[in-house]
Amino acid sequence: MKVQGSVAFVTGANRGLGEQFVRALFDAGAAKVYAGSRGLKRVTVPGAIPVAVDITDHESVRAAADQAQDVTLLINNAGLSTQADVLMADLDSFRLEFETHVLGTLAMSRAFAPVLGRNGGGAVVNVLSVLSWISITASAGYAAAKAAEWSVTNALRVALAEQGTQVTALHVSYLQTELAAKVTAPKSDPAAVARATLDGVEAGLHEVLADDFSKQVQAALAVGPEALYPQLAGRPALI
């Protein structure tokens, strides 16, 4: 998959990592970038084509796919965080997380799969999280949804391979964006993460691990719960 000359569609493109994806795509030579957002006036990157889309509204998703029939690269970036605690949060917060990250990503991927197939295969990028692999009680809804999105991503990767569509998952910890504004832990530069992800797409990577913590957590998966959750043994938590 070559980014130069590609036609990309980015969801959640009006701010944060999504906006940086739009900029990185143009820097890498993309021929056209559709910038998906729930409000057209929110898209400010020069040259981007604003497209109104709400990934939780399947009619909106279908309309976006109908408008962008020349897409060769889909970046499923749109997301949110309700900070749903595992014991105290309203279950509607969990539902919203799943509607957005799991069903929204699936709806976009399904709608654009035939478009990508007709245009030679192309690629899909799903923006996941280190919380796909490790959970925290204070954002259990987000972590659970990202874990499910990871599973859906794996299924999409296998299903879309038949039509020559590459599926790349991005795993990253905290970013210097509005979503993590109150977090005091180390954060990655979203512009650098966007560039690294596009490099990973061009290299044919199935997964891009954008920071050391994501690599540490992935390695701990093979060890067991004690490695991921040292607090179970009275030691400090990883996150």
Side-chain angles (χ1 to χ4, degrees):
M1 175 69 203
K2 296 297 182 184
V3 175
Q4 184 174 11
S6 67
V7 177
F9 193 110
V10 182
T11 63
N14 57 296
R15 63 179 180 175
L17 181 59
E19 179 179 329
Q20 295 305 320
F21 267 122
V22 175
R23 296 183 185 280
L25 284 161
F26 281 129
D27 289 345
K32 183 189 293 187
V33 180
Y34 294 100
S37 172
R38 285 183 294 181
L40 295 180
K41 294 182 179 179
R42 298 177 181 179
V43 176
T44 59
V45 179
I49 301 172
V51 178
V53 62
D54 178 348
I55 67 170
T56 65
D57 180 339
H58 294 181
E59 289 298 327
S60 174
V61 168
R62 279 192 287 269
D66 288 343
Q67 179 178 343
Q69 286 288 300
D70 51 350
V71 165
T72 60
L73 173 59
L74 170 65
I75 300 182
N76 287 314
N77 165 76
L80 53 77
S81 175
T82 64
Q83 296 183 327
D85 179 273
V86 69
L87 294 179
M88 303 301 295
D90 192 297
L91 290 181
D92 285 342
S93 295
F94 279 77
R95 292 189 183 96
L96 180 57
E97 296 275 10
F98 275 78
E99 285 283 347
T100 304
H101 297 119
V102 184
L103 299 182
T105 296
L106 180 58
M108 286 292 297
S109 300
R110 284 179 169 182
F112 277 90
V115 176
L116 294 170
R118 287 192 297 270
N119 294 331
V124 176
V125 173
N126 286 346
V127 176
L128 303 182
S129 169
V130 69
L131 295 184
S132 308
W133 297 326
I134 186 172
S135 189
I136 54 177
T137 59
S139 288
Y142 182 88
K146 284 298 181 181
E149 187 182 1
W150 178 42
S151 180
V152 167
T153 299
N154 288 329
L156 286 170
R157 181 177 294 122
V158 175
L160 295 180
E162 297 180 5
Q163 68 174 35
T165 299
Q166 173 185 324
V167 178
T168 299
L170 167 64
H171 294 272
V172 64
S173 185
Y174 296 119
L175 292 167
Q176 295 169 4
T177 63
E178 182 180 333
L179 194 65
K182 296 181 180 180
V183 176
T184 57
K187 303 174 189 177
S188 297
D189 176 7
V193 170
R195 290 193 299 269
T197 303
L198 296 182
D199 288 344
V201 170
E202 291 205 320
L205 299 183
H206 295 307
E207 292 186 321
V208 173
L209 278 63
D211 51 45
D212 289 339
F213 186 61
S214 295
K215 296 173 184 176
Q216 176 188 355
V217 171
Q218 187 198 51
L221 289 172
V223 180
E226 297 82 1
L228 290 169
Y229 307 102
Q231 61 267 43
L232 295 176
R235 300 190 301 274
L238 294 180
I239 186 172

